[in-house]
């Protein structure tokens, strides 16, 4: 097929399409076949941008398009293409060897469907959740995927349009009164999405919950069938509409942060395993700015919760807007400064709040306490995937940018940002790279660690790095914070998802285990990949029947 993209006005939509999308959408609406359109597609418009106005099923007029960027369909990577079908399950042929001790299910969540009918969503984070499973037993691998049946997804399918406020998408209003009504619903939270497309966690009692940044988007799923079982109802009366997308989950508890947009601050809350009731550990008031900083994630040590206050803050005005702003629901406030607050888990007291250099992060990796020779905690180290205080990564995650890779090196640099928070009453904390960023190609995000080292001094982390030139993290990298070295895995044109570490039962070494990732290939294919946690060499791979869209975060559900 020619390298040709169209901006198409068919009376029912105005949006950029590949020939294939164009064909599918027009076929549904108007009953055309692709051959009809190739008549004009072969004209010398290759690589050019055109608008085709569909006058009648057989008559096509072409006019130059005013503002759409040309995109090469060869670059239409499966990672950024909506999942092919609602669900699939089957056994995969394994090349290499799956360790026999690996018994259980790896689950991965992510936004895998980015259109409703002919309307294409704008941002990676807008997509309706696609859950993927890899079930390992006796060296065999059964895989599957299924759409999460959130209210937002069901309503969009039924009404053939977006019905709830997503990360960047807002339902289109028929008239001004409908817009005003929607604003009222925003305050009650009823217009917010429950599209649980960010992560998935296994609670200590075995329940498996898919999560996003809205509290209502906490949905219980069955890890075997991937069926959506219903909403996870928080039984307390803490209220609030949003929370951190990444709670800290152990067998004993679920810890999270509830940002308070009215009186800028955060509630640190704890839900004991087996309950649905969150209880307040304590409250942190913001040290700067008109609103709390975005808390996509946060770290803990053994005794403390670290509450980050990024200068990228929630923004009430932007929440109300119908059209996305460059920073979506957030605003960059460099003058408001950046802070880290440390709360004692046992007492709920804020033991220190320090100003730190400006930073931007989605993901904290881990944190731990440093002690003096008498065993007194002197400081806290907190590591994150840090984007050099540059918010442009949010824009880079727009689908338009992800779907357009012309070989230029456009991925903004990132590093492992290591914060040092003194507990001696000093007012400032430090931020430095934990290792030379060139070790991982100056790209870093989507991290995991050995969960036994949560909150403790640790040596290794696994993440996605960069082999440049690239426009998205395209390697798997194992970071060694002692040697300050990285081991990198790369497959040309492939988009790997978060490397997820699973420890070997009984292991004594931190990196004794496997690393699981799902790879979306440039030829449209995809495979599950297993690397050895220690050598970081491939031990097994298994081809999927078709490539899957990119996914975000995963969890491990061991076989009972
Ligand atoms: C997929 C991912 O990593 C993040 C998703 C974030 C979402 C869905 C955020 C949604 C929000 C709203 C719909 C309104 C309130 C603010 C905010 C939490 C950003
Ligand atoms: C995929 C991503 C960042 C990549 C940057 O290099 C962030 C995802 C955040 C949500 O979970
Ligand atoms: Fe995340």
């Amino acid at each position: 097929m020619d390298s040709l993209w169209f901006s198409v006005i068919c009376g029912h939509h105005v949006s950029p399409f590949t020939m294939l999308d164009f064909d599918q959408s027009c076929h549904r609406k108007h009953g055309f076949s692709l051959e009809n359109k190739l008549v004009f597609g072969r004209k010398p418009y290759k690589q050019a941008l055109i608008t085709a106005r569909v006058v009648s099923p057989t008559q096509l007029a072409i006019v130059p398009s005013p503002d759409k960027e040309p995109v090469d369909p060869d670059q239409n990577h499966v990672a950024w293409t909506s999942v092919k079908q609602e669900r699939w399950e089957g056994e995969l042929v394994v090349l290499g060897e799956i360790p026999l001790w690996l018994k259980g299910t790896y689950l991965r969540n992510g936004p895998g469907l980015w259109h409703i009918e002919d309307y294409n969503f704008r941002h990676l984070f807008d997509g309706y959740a696609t859950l993927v499973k890899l079930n390992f037993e006796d060296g065999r691998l059964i895989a599957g995927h299924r759409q999460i049946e959130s209210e937002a997804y069901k309503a969009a399918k039924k009404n053939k349009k977006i019905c709830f406020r997503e990360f960047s998408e807002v339902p289109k209003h028929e008239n001004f009164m409908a817009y005003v009504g929607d604003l009222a619903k925003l305050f009650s939270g009823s217009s917010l999405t429950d599209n649980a497309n960010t992560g998935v966690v296994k609670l200590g009692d075995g329940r498996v919950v898919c999560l996003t940044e809205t509290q209502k988007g906490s949905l219980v799923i069955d890890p075997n069938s991937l069926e959506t079982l219903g909403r996870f109802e928080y039984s307390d009366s803490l209220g609030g509409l949003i929370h951190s997308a990444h709670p800290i989950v152990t067998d004993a508890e679920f810890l999270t942060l509830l940002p308070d947009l009215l009186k800028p601050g955060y509630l640190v809350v704890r839900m004991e395993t087996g309950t649905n009731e969150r209880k307040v550990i304590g409250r942190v008031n913001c040290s700067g700015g008109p609103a709390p900083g975005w808390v996509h994630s946060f770290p803990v040590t053994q005794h403390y919760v670290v509450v980050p206050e990024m200068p990228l803050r929630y923004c009430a005005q932007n929440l109300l807007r119908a059209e996305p702003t460059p920073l979506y629901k957030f605003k960059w406030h460099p003058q408001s400064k950046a802070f880290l607050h440390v709360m004692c888990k046992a007492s709920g007291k804020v033991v220190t709040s320090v100003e730190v250099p400006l930073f931007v992060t989605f993901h904290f990796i881990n944190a731990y306490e440093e002690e003096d020779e008498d065993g007194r905690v002197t400081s806290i180290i907190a590591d994150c995937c840090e984007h050099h205080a540059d918010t442009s990564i949010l824009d880079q995650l727009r689908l338009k940018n992800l779907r357009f890779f012309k070989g230029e090196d456009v991925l903004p640099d990132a590093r492992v940002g290591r914060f040092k928070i003194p507990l001696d009453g000093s007012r400032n904390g430090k931020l430095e790279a934990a290792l030379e960023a060139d070790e991982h190609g100056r790209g870093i995000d989507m991290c995991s660690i050995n969960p036994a080292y949560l909150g403790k001094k640790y040596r290794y982390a696994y993440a996605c790095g960069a082999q440049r030139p690239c426009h998205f993290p395209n390697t798997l990298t194992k970071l060694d914070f002692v040697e300050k070295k990285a081991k990198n895995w790369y497959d040309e044109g492939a988009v790997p998802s978060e490397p997820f570490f699973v420890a070997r039962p009984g292991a004594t070494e931190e990196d004794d285990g496997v690393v699981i990732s799902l790879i979306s290939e440039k030829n449209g294919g995809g495979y599950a990949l297993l690397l050895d946690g220690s050598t970081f060499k491939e031990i097994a791979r298994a081809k999927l029947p078709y490539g899957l869209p990119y996914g975000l975060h995963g969890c491990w559900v061991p076989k009972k």
Side-chain angles (χ1 to χ4, degrees):
M1 192 184 295
D2 286 349
S3 295
L4 185 66
W5 279 65
F6 296 86
S7 174
V8 183
I9 304 175
C10 295
H12 66 278
H13 59 235
V14 184
S15 51
F17 287 92
T18 62
M19 280 301 279
L20 195 64
D21 288 338
F22 178 56
D23 183 52
Q24 284 169 352
S25 81
C26 286
H27 195 270
R28 278 197 303 273
K29 286 273 174 187
H30 307 294
F32 304 148
S33 72
L34 186 61
E35 284 69 30
N36 288 348
K37 291 179 287 293
L38 279 177
V39 172
F40 67 82
R42 292 225 178 83
K43 293 205 167 158
Y45 295 105
K46 195 166 184 319
Q47 303 278 343
L49 193 69
I50 60 170
T51 296
R53 180 180 292 279
V54 179
V55 180
S56 79
T58 48
Q59 198 187 350
L60 297 162
I62 299 164
V63 291
S65 174
D67 60 353
K68 296 279 182 333
E69 287 177 33
V71 183
D72 186 338
D74 295 342
Q75 309 286 343
N76 203 3
H77 202 288
V78 67
W80 321 119
T81 306
S82 290
V83 67
K84 272 195 161 54
Q85 54 196 49
E86 277 269 321
R87 58 189 290 193
W88 175 84
E89 180 176 318
E91 181 160 2
L92 304 183
V93 175
V94 176
L95 293 177
E97 249 173 67
I98 295 173
L100 292 175
W101 58 259
L102 192 66
K103 286 181 203 286
T105 304
Y106 166 71
L107 295 169
R108 188 198 74 177
N109 196 1
L113 192 131
W114 293 283
H115 71 274
I116 276 295
E117 295 283 302
D118 303 319
Y119 183 76
N120 289 301
F121 303 172
R122 280 171 266 214
H123 199 275
L124 174 67
F125 297 165
D126 287 324
Y128 291 116
T130 303
L131 196 56
V132 185
K133 73 163 181 185
L134 298 174
N135 173 243
F136 299 92
E137 191 159 9
D138 301 327
R140 294 172 64 180
L141 172 52
I142 294 172
H145 68 80
R146 186 164 174 172
Q147 288 307 104
I148 295 181
E149 301 257 318
S150 58
E151 292 306 321
Y153 175 65
K154 288 190 289 190
K157 275 206 314 183
K158 182 165 164 230
N159 301 302
K160 303 189 188 321
K161 58 179 186 189
I162 293 175
C163 301
F164 291 86
R165 287 174 172 256
E166 299 295 336
F167 176 77
S168 86
E169 296 291 343
V170 171
K172 304 282 171 280
H173 304 101
E174 312 267 290
N175 52 50
F176 182 69
M177 282 320 284
Y179 170 67
V180 174
D182 185 56
L183 287 189
K185 288 199 279 173
L186 178 58
F187 293 107
S188 71
S190 61
S191 67
L192 293 185
T193 188
D194 67 341
N195 172 22
N197 68 359
T198 309
V200 49
V201 294
K202 185 194 78 79
L203 304 183
D205 58 17
R207 289 178 292 176
V208 178
V209 185
C210 292
L211 294 159
T212 186
E213 307 226 342
T214 59
Q215 294 187 31
K216 67 195 279 205
S218 306
L219 305 182
V220 184
I221 60 103
D222 178 325
N224 301 312
S225 65
L226 305 185
E227 186 188 347
T228 306
L229 301 176
R231 191 164 287 177
F232 184 95
E233 300 286 356
Y234 299 98
S235 63
D236 51 71
S237 50
L238 288 176
L241 303 174
I242 58 183
H243 58 184
S244 168
H246 291 271
I248 302 281
V249 183
T250 63
D251 282 347
E253 63 189 12
F254 171 108
L255 295 172
T256 197
L257 301 183
L258 309 183
D260 182 347
L261 272 56
L262 297 175
K263 185 167 176 271
Y266 314 81
L267 284 185
V268 180
V269 302
R270 174 177 189 269
M271 189 168 71
E272 200 174 315
T273 292
T275 76
N276 285 36
E277 187 185 0
R278 299 161 302 180
K279 291 186 178 153
V280 177
I281 295 180
R283 185 190 154 93
V284 170
N285 292 320
C286 287
S287 295
W294 183 12
V295 278
H296 183 73
S297 71
F298 64 98
V300 295
T301 68
Q302 287 189 286
H303 303 98
Y304 301 99
V305 177
V306 179
V307 180
E309 187 180 334
M310 265 208 292
L312 181 61
R313 296 173 185 273
Y314 298 95
C315 173
Q317 289 99 303
N318 291 351
L319 280 175
L320 301 176
R321 282 184 217 278
E323 283 301 311
T325 71
L327 291 176
Y328 304 91
K329 316 282 199 271
F330 310 100
K331 204 168 167 199
W332 180 242
H333 291 271
Q335 71 296 345
S336 76
K337 301 186 175 157
F339 303 89
L340 293 179
H341 310 271
V342 179
M343 180 181 287
C344 169
K345 264 181 75 178
S347 68
K349 290 219 164 72
V350 179
V351 298
T352 194
S353 290
V354 292
E355 187 188 329
V356 290
L358 301 188
F359 67 99
V360 165
T361 187
F362 295 107
H363 298 120
F364 277 89
I365 303 172
N366 198 13
Y368 58 88
E369 296 156 17
E370 285 189 322
E371 294 176 352
D372 62 16
E373 52 282 4
D374 300 321
R376 271 187 298 259
V377 181
T378 52
S379 55
I380 285 176
I381 301 294
D383 294 339
C384 68
C385 304
E386 205 277 309
H387 294 265
H388 292 282
D390 177 357
T391 57
S392 65
I393 185 66
L394 260 185
D395 192 59
Q396 186 53 32
L397 299 179
R398 281 167 73 173
L399 292 159
K400 168 170 130 329
N401 294 332
L402 296 173
R403 288 172 178 160
F404 185 75
F405 179 55
K406 280 278 180 214
E408 283 127 23
D409 191 26
V410 292
L411 180 73
D413 285 4
R415 57 178 173 168
V416 177
R418 173 158 283 190
F419 290 105
K420 184 166 178 146
I421 312 168
L423 292 186
D424 62 359
S426 314
R427 298 173 71 92
N428 288 82
K430 282 193 186 135
L431 170 59
E432 277 164 13
L435 76 170
E436 196 57 61
D438 279 327
E439 282 289 320
H440 47 79
R442 291 172 288 105
I444 201 82
D445 221 301
M446 311 305 287
C447 45
S448 77
I449 58 163
N450 180 334
Y453 289 75
L454 175 73
K456 300 181 188 156
K457 188 160 169 80
Y458 72 122
R459 175 169 179 178
Y460 302 112
Y462 304 88
C464 292
Q467 164 97 33
R468 292 177 182 271
C470 63
H471 74 319
F472 191 78
N474 57 354
T475 68
L476 298 170
T477 186
K478 175 184 176 183
L479 307 168
D480 178 339
F481 297 127
V482 170
E483 293 288 331
K484 299 198 181 296
K485 289 268 166 223
K487 290 189 169 118
N488 298 298
W489 174 96
Y490 173 70
D491 181 8
E492 205 252 308
V495 181
S497 68
E498 178 180 82
F500 187 87
F501 180 84
V502 181
R504 186 177 64 78
T508 50
E509 295 297 318
E510 183 180 336
D511 57 352
D512 183 355
V514 296
V515 171
I516 305 174
S517 177
L518 281 154
I519 315 293
S520 308
E521 291 177 286
K522 68 170 177 188
N523 65 5
Y527 56 95
L529 179 71
L530 243 64
L531 303 179
D532 179 277
S534 164
T535 62
F536 217 51
K537 293 264 176 350
E538 174 170 338
I539 49 178
R541 71 167 69 189
K543 200 163 175 45
L544 293 153
Y546 44 86
L548 292 172
Y550 183 69
L552 296 172
H553 304 291
C555 75
W556 177 248
V557 182
K559 185 167 188 254
K560 285 187 202 103

